[in-house]
């Protein structure tokens, strides 16, 4: 369908984005604003506070709390869960196209932590799964929940309508008010017929990074990355033709193109504060850059002159130097850092596989299956603080992330997201996203 109006075309593009991300949207009225951070749960009078288990050895499979419909997904994935949910202490923060929910994982009570200030382009319709990326939660003494909203300002008089983005920060502290930074969209988005997505990549110190990019591989060079000062609430820099993948210390790494129509791209690192280029690798094709903890990034690609030559490399994000070329007998590139000292990679080919490397050197620590030891690999669902959670035909289990050894205590569930209070998994009865309390 040909859309003549520039404004209509822009609305169509971003509606398509969020329709794809949210798996179904509608232009319903925006609910009332809720600009105060959610109050702490009072809990049941006389009931002791929830115990902290770091890391959890087991979860109470009989005490699960159903998560709100807006948070549910039947397509939980490794790594990262594949849900619009991020855990912080006893709360689960759920990203929606028009707001963020804060859910008490002890009882499932949900409050609105923030709404879009301008009119959101779309809303999630009932009974449909939410496929938006999870909010990003910063570290430190005063964590912030970071997300973005695509919003619309109708035309008034001679003022033209506009579509723009609200970068939004929600303090986790009780009673603290959120803040928003409205941002104009890059020129390439206004004429693009490809779906556009926004994702907060990471943060270090008081600087956060997010990226706008095309979701179609044929136009993957359409990307712009932003760095935002979380103290002054302003943009430090923007960089076109750069899709950030990781923030490690004072370096932002990701995929860089020389021009919009290029078939080739390179892994590159930029100074977080100034966007000055620190290093750039050689151009390749089919490049993917993913985070791998505080000391490594993982880059996979093919040689641009000989497609038969493939690369899977752990790189030092500070210098771009190759720390480890992965051998062919270590399959896959879906990896996650355990929050301690290990990067765990897992997936399924002919059979499930899992392996782990040291998060500084890239040296291999263990690998499954191990036919000599008669061990199979589990389907890994999550890693956290030195533990690997997963399942086999025998049920949920946990491994030591450093050694790969089976741990004696069965966790009771195979969580896809986990912290010291909660594990999120699908219930056995109806495959609904459920929060299970830790109990050991």
């Amino acid at each position: 369908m040909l859309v003549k109006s520039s404004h209509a075309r822009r609305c169509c593009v971003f509606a398509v984005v969020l329709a794809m991300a949210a798996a179904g949207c509608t232009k319903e009225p925006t609910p009332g604003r809720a600009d105060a951070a959610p109050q702490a749960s009072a809990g049941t009078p006389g009931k002791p506070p929830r115990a902290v288990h770091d890391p959890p050895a087991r979860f109470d499979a009989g005490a699960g709390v159903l998560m709100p419909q807006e948070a549910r997904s039947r397509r939980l994935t490794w790594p990262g869960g594949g849900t619009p949910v991020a855990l912080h202490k006893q709360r689960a923060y759920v990203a929606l196209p028009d707001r963020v929910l804060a859910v008490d994982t002890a009882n499932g009570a949900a409050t609105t932590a923030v709404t879009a200030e301008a009119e959101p382009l779309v809303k999630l319709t009932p009974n449909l799964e939410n496929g938006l990326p999870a909010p990003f939660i910063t570290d430190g003494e005063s964590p912030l929940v970071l997300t973005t909203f695509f919003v619309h300002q109708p035309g008034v008089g001679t003022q033209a309508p506009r579509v723009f983005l609200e970068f939004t920060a929600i303090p986790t502290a009780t009673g603290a008010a959120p803040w928003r930074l409205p941002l104009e969209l890059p020129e390439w988005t206004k004429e693009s017929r490809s779906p556009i997505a926004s994702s907060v990549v990471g943060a270090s110190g008081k600087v956060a990074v997010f990226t706008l990019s095309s979701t179609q591989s044929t136009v993957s060079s359409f990307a712009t990355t932003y760095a935002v000062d979380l103290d002054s609430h302003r943009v430090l820099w923007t960089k076109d033709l750069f899709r950030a993948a990781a923030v490690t210390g004072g370096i932002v790494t990701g995929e860089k193109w020389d021009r919009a129509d290029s078939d080739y791209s390179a892994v590159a690192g930029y100074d977080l504060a100034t966007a000055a280029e620190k290093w750039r690798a050689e151009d390749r094709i089919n490049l993917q850059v993913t985070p791998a903890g505080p000391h490594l990034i993982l880059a996979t690609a093919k040689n641009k002159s000989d497609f038969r030559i493939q690369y899977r490399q752990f790189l030092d994000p500070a210098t771009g130097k190759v720390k480890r070329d992965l051998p062919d007998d270590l399959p896959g590139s879906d990896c996650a850092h355990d929050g301690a000292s290990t990067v765990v990679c897992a997936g399924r080919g002919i059979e499930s596989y899992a392996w782990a490397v040291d998060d500084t050197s890239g040296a291999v620590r263990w690998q499954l299956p191990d036919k000599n030891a008669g061990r199979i690999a589990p389907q890994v669902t999550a890693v956290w603080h030195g533990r690997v959670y997963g399942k086999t035909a025998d049920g949920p289990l946990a491994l030591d992330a450093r050694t790969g050894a089976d741990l004696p205590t069965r966790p009771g569930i195979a969580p896809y997201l986990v912290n010291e209070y909660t594990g999120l998994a699908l219930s056995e009865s109806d495959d609904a996203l459920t929060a299970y309390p830790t109990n050991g």
Side-chain angles (χ1 to χ4, degrees):
M1 180 181 68
L2 212 48
V3 182
K4 295 182 179 179
S5 162
S6 174
H7 164 63
R9 180 167 62 250
R10 281 180 284 172
C11 285
C12 178
V13 167
F14 289 103
V16 169
V17 176
L18 294 177
M20 289 180 60
C25 299
T26 182
K27 292 285 291 182
E28 297 176 0
T30 303
R33 292 273 301 280
D35 282 357
Q39 298 295 314
S41 173
T44 303
K47 187 175 182 178
R50 294 174 65 181
V52 173
H53 302 100
D54 186 359
R58 63 178 180 269
F59 304 83
D60 190 342
V65 173
L66 195 64
M67 291 290 287
Q69 177 66 39
E70 295 93 333
R72 298 180 199 174
S73 173
R74 294 180 184 273
R75 298 184 300 274
L76 297 186
T77 59
W78 155 268
T83 75
V85 180
L87 294 176
H88 177 71
K89 296 187 176 179
Q90 299 184 57
R91 293 192 187 121
Y93 289 90
V94 184
L96 298 171
D98 62 328
R99 65 196 188 279
V100 172
L101 296 180
V103 182
D104 186 331
T105 56
N107 55 30
T111 58
T112 299
V114 74
T115 61
E117 187 167 52
E119 179 187 358
L121 283 180
V122 288
K123 288 184 62 181
L124 191 71
T125 55
N127 302 317
L128 290 174
E129 294 174 3
N130 183 350
L132 288 175
F136 181 87
I137 302 179
T138 63
D139 295 327
E141 295 182 358
S142 303
L144 297 171
V145 181
L146 305 179
T147 193
T148 59
F149 299 113
F150 287 107
V151 292
H152 165 238
Q153 186 176 64
V156 177
T158 61
Q159 184 67 48
R162 58 191 279 253
V163 172
F164 59 105
L165 182 140
E166 289 179 359
F167 176 88
T168 304
I170 309 158
T172 57
T174 301
W179 55 266
R180 304 167 183 82
L181 178 61
L183 297 170
E184 297 298 325
L185 298 172
E187 285 300 313
W188 62 264
T189 67
K190 299 176 183 178
E191 302 302 326
S192 174
R193 293 185 178 274
S194 169
I196 312 300
S198 174
S199 178
V200 180
V201 173
S204 181
K206 294 299 182 179
V207 180
V209 172
F210 75 93
T211 290
L212 286 175
S213 61
S214 166
T215 61
Q216 288 186 356
S217 59
T218 55
V219 287
S220 58
S221 56
F222 289 145
T224 301
T225 292
Y226 299 73
V228 176
D229 188 312
L230 299 176
D231 275 344
S232 63
H233 306 177
R234 65 186 179 91
V235 173
L236 292 178
W237 51 264
T238 64
K239 186 169 288 293
D240 288 327
L241 301 176
F242 176 60
R243 181 166 53 208
V247 179
T248 50
I251 302 293
V252 184
T253 51
E255 184 176 8
K256 183 70 173 73
W257 293 263
D258 283 331
R259 61 182 193 275
D261 60 350
S262 177
D263 292 328
Y264 310 130
S265 59
V267 191
Y270 296 90
D271 185 273
L272 177 61
T274 66
E277 184 178 294
K278 292 296 186 179
W279 57 269
R280 177 171 173 161
E282 65 182 35
D283 283 352
R284 290 172 178 168
I285 62 169
N286 295 346
L287 176 64
Q288 289 188 332
V289 185
T290 54
H295 311 297
L296 297 172
I297 56 173
L298 177 61
T300 63
K302 292 182 179 181
N303 187 290
K304 69 177 185 179
S305 300
D306 186 345
F307 299 167
R308 295 170 298 178
I309 301 175
Q310 301 188 29
Y311 304 93
R312 290 188 306 136
Q313 299 172 318
F314 283 114
L315 308 180
D316 182 339
T319 64
K321 292 182 179 179
V322 177
K323 300 298 288 286
R324 183 72 57 181
D325 279 299
L326 293 175
D328 291 340
D329 65 346
L330 291 178
S333 56
D334 291 330
C335 305
H337 190 254
D338 73 337
S341 64
T342 306
V343 178
V344 177
C345 304
R348 183 171 181 84
I350 298 175
E351 59 184 348
S352 293
Y353 60 83
W355 46 274
V357 301
D358 177 87
D359 74 350
T360 301
S361 67
V364 177
R365 286 184 164 170
W366 53 269
Q367 179 181 358
L368 292 174
D370 183 346
K371 291 182 170 48
N372 292 332
R375 299 182 67 201
I376 62 173
Q379 177 189 338
V380 174
T381 56
V383 296
W384 197 70
H385 289 195
R387 285 185 187 245
V388 180
Y389 300 93
K391 55 190 174 182
T392 65
D394 188 41
L397 52 75
L399 309 178
D400 184 305
R402 281 186 60 88
T403 66
D406 288 63
L407 294 172
T409 301
R410 289 294 188 107
I413 65 167
Y416 282 83
L417 288 176
V418 59
N419 70 1
E420 65 271 32
Y421 293 97
T422 303
L424 292 186
L426 296 179
S427 63
E428 290 187 1
S429 58
D430 57 3
D431 279 346
L433 187 64
T434 303
Y436 295 93
T438 63
N439 70 350

